[in-house]
């Protein structure tokens, strides 16, 4: 898009599965404001073939000025080791670790799962990774089929809790803990416009001037 570039690099972190259209719109919107958008889905993450996908993504966070994270109910396919954290989660971890200016959207289902677990006094492991479907065969044998839980994953709630600093008490001591809930693409676009359209305000967030 032929617009004046502001040379601010925005890292967009989100799982991609069943979210391709929304991410394309986010990319176009940010690009339209003049930002240089670093997004794996659009192929704009700097790649070093000597490094793993995880290291490339985490390094890209370091090379950007501001982090835009979208917490979705699914963790995606970027889990490199058994019981390990996904690449998206580690991108969030890195942005928080280095104190990077960040703006975060959270799917309303993730927010609900967080509140419901707290209400019921349950830990994250109360959310199953799989759901079981029992089926009795003609010979009377019970067959159990496991299907991935595609409603909400515990890791997503964990990322949400880190963003909102749920473990920091009292709540008045929490800083930079805003996570805006969203339901659809209109909510996303409205947030992107409200937060990123004013480039001078973003520069103040980054450079403190």
């Amino acid at each position: 898009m032929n617009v004046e570039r502001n040379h601010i690099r925005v890292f967009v972190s989100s799982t991609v599965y069943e979210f391709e259209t929304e991410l394309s719109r986010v990319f176009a919107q940010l690009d339209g404001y003049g930002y240089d958008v670093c997004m794996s889905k659009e192929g704009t993450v700097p790649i070093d073939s000597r490094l793993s996908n995880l290291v490339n993504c985490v390094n890209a966070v370091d090379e950007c000025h501001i982090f835009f994270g979208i917490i979705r109910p699914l963790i995606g396919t970027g889990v490199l080791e058994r019981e390990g954290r996904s690449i998206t989660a580690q991108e969030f971890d890195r942005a928080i670790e280095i104190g990077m200016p960040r703006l975060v959207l959270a799917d309303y289902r993730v927010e609900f799962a967080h509140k419901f677990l707290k209400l019921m006094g349950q830990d994250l492991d109360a959310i199953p990774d799989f759901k079981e479907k029992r089926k009795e065969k003609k010979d009377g044998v019970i067959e159990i089929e496991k299907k991935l839980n595609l409603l909400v994953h515990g890791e997503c709630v964990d990322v949400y809790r880190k963003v909102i600093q749920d473990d920091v008490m009292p709540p008045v001591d929490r800083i930079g803990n805003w996570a805006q809930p969203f339901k659809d693409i209109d909510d996303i676009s409205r947030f992107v416009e409200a937060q990123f359209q004013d480039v001078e305000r973003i520069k103040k967030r980054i450079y403190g001037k």
Side-chain angles (χ1 to χ4, degrees):
M1 186 178 292
N2 294 322
V3 297
E4 183 179 353
R5 311 312 296 175
N6 57 47
H7 306 297
I8 296 174
R9 296 187 297 275
V10 180
F11 188 93
V12 178
S13 179
S14 172
T15 54
V16 177
Y17 179 67
E18 293 188 347
F19 205 60
E20 292 89 346
T21 300
E22 290 84 352
L23 287 175
S24 293
R25 186 159 164 181
V26 167
F27 183 93
Q29 197 170 357
L30 290 172
D31 182 69
Y33 296 147
Y35 296 99
D36 297 329
V37 186
C38 187
M39 180 189 289
S40 60
K41 188 262 177 190
E42 295 295 329
T44 54
V45 171
I47 297 172
D48 185 336
S49 61
R50 298 168 298 179
L51 303 175
S52 68
N53 290 352
L54 169 62
V55 174
N56 274 310
C57 288
V58 172
N59 285 350
V61 173
D62 289 346
E63 294 178 12
C64 289
H65 297 104
I66 189 165
F67 181 89
F68 178 34
I70 304 175
I71 305 173
R72 301 188 57 239
L74 308 179
I75 63 170
T77 57
V79 180
L80 304 181
E81 57 188 44
R82 188 176 180 85
E83 306 300 330
R85 288 173 68 74
S86 69
I87 291 177
T88 302
Q90 294 190 57
E91 292 167 353
F92 271 86
D93 291 345
R94 183 57 179 167
I96 293 171
E97 177 187 355
I98 64 177
M100 187 178 215
R102 54 189 179 271
L103 295 162
V104 177
L105 281 167
D107 188 291
Y108 73 99
R109 289 167 290 186
V110 176
E111 180 188 44
F112 175 82
H114 156 67
K115 292 180 177 178
F116 185 77
L117 287 173
K118 293 200 75 172
L119 177 66
M120 301 301 293
Q122 296 291 323
D123 295 327
L124 291 176
D125 56 12
I127 301 177
D129 291 339
F130 299 91
K131 60 180 180 179
E132 294 185 354
K133 183 178 180 181
R134 301 171 64 88
K135 182 179 179 181
E136 185 175 352
K137 301 173 72 173
K138 291 182 178 179
D139 57 5
V141 175
I142 300 296
E143 186 178 74
I144 299 177
E145 180 183 6
K146 284 190 173 183
K147 290 188 176 182
L148 279 173
N149 171 14
L150 298 179
L151 181 61
V152 64
H153 194 282
E155 181 185 84
C156 304
V157 179
D158 178 62
V159 171
Y160 177 79
R161 289 180 173 179
K162 288 187 175 182
V163 168
I164 67 171
Q165 300 173 27
D166 186 59
D167 62 340
V168 175
M169 296 302 289
V172 71
D173 290 338
R174 299 172 187 174
I175 298 174
N177 58 316
W178 192 292
Q180 180 68 29
F182 75 93
K183 288 186 177 181
D184 54 33
I185 185 60
D186 290 336
D187 290 342
I188 296 171
S189 295
R190 184 165 49 251
F191 183 80
V192 172
E193 178 180 347
Q195 303 303 324
F196 286 99
Q197 189 173 35
D198 188 340
V199 177
E200 293 304 314
R201 185 174 64 192
I202 291 294
K203 288 181 178 178
K204 289 180 181 178
R205 286 282 309 276
I206 297 170
Y207 305 113
K209 298 180 181 178

